Amino acid sequence: MPSRKKPSRRTRVLTGGAALAVVGAGVVGTVAANAADSADAAPAAAPVAARGGELTQSTHLSVDAAVKAARAALEAAEKDGRQVSVAVVDRNGNTVVTLRGDGAGPQSYESAERKAYTAVSWNAPTSELAKRLAQAPNLKDIPGTLFLAGGAPVTAKGAPVAGIGVAGAPSGDLDERYAQAGAAVLGR
């Protein structure tokens, strides 16, 4: 088999440069062709404005207010020497803020979120909702909910705007007391 001479560095650079020029010309040609095609296309549809009677308005707690409420709940628990997690969810049940206190158990984080979600979903403290399980045990099967004391709703003009959930204290009654402390700071 005859040996092939390796191309010089200069030849390789020139060959690579020529290949790049060919690829670049193809890309420029494709972009130019697509631009010409889009000029012939129909204009984009204008946004459609909904009529006023087809809209609803809802109020949401600000991030600053959610943090303020969560801090107040956590501080109330810490004052009693309790290690808890606190969650604040918006009207739609989306978590706005979660604080895990020093030493709070790993289960408390998710439990606090679920209690907050449950409180805002039914616009009632979760201790009251837990009592309803006797008449409707299937309530506990609703995804994302937790029917244990420790969740408090926050309302504005009678409508729920947020939920505060606390978990990790030795009893649901304490969790709910701390959640109420978080809600109370918003009413001041």
Side-chain angles (χ1 to χ4, degrees):
M1 185 179 228
S3 71
R4 262 188 137 159
K5 185 177 174 187
K6 186 176 177 184
S8 71
R9 178 179 163 98
R10 182 174 181 210
T11 304
R12 289 185 305 210
V13 169
L14 289 174
T15 305
L20 283 174
V22 169
V23 170
V27 169
V28 169
T30 302
V31 169
N34 285 341
D37 289 345
S38 65
D40 298 333
V48 176
R51 293 181 299 210
E54 296 172 347
L55 302 174
T56 62
Q57 279 189 319
S58 62
T59 304
H60 292 267
L61 203 60
S62 71
V63 171
D64 288 342
V67 170
K68 181 179 174 181
R71 287 286 319 137
L74 187 62
E75 288 168 2
E78 288 173 343
K79 184 178 175 187
D80 287 349
R82 307 295 180 193
Q83 295 88 24
V84 301
S85 290
V86 180
V88 179
V89 301
D90 68 12
R91 172 61 192 111
N92 300 322
N94 299 309
T95 303
V96 178
V97 65
T98 304
L99 299 177
R100 184 174 174 269
D102 294 336
Q107 79 290 352
S108 66
Y109 189 90
E110 182 180 349
S111 296
E113 286 182 332
R114 290 175 60 194
K115 288 178 182 184
Y117 176 84
T118 305
V120 75
S121 295
W122 275 274
N123 194 24
T126 53
S127 59
E128 289 180 22
L129 297 169
K131 296 172 189 173
R132 295 182 193 176
L133 287 178
Q135 290 78 32
N138 290 344
L139 281 177
K140 70 181 179 338
D141 298 332
I142 298 172
T145 59
L146 187 58
F147 291 89
L148 297 174
V154 177
T155 61
K157 298 179 185 173
V161 295
I164 301 174
V166 176
S171 74
D173 292 340
L174 286 173
D175 285 340
E176 197 154 309
R177 185 170 84 196
Y178 304 140
Q180 292 290 350
V185 77
L186 299 174
R188 294 182 193 147

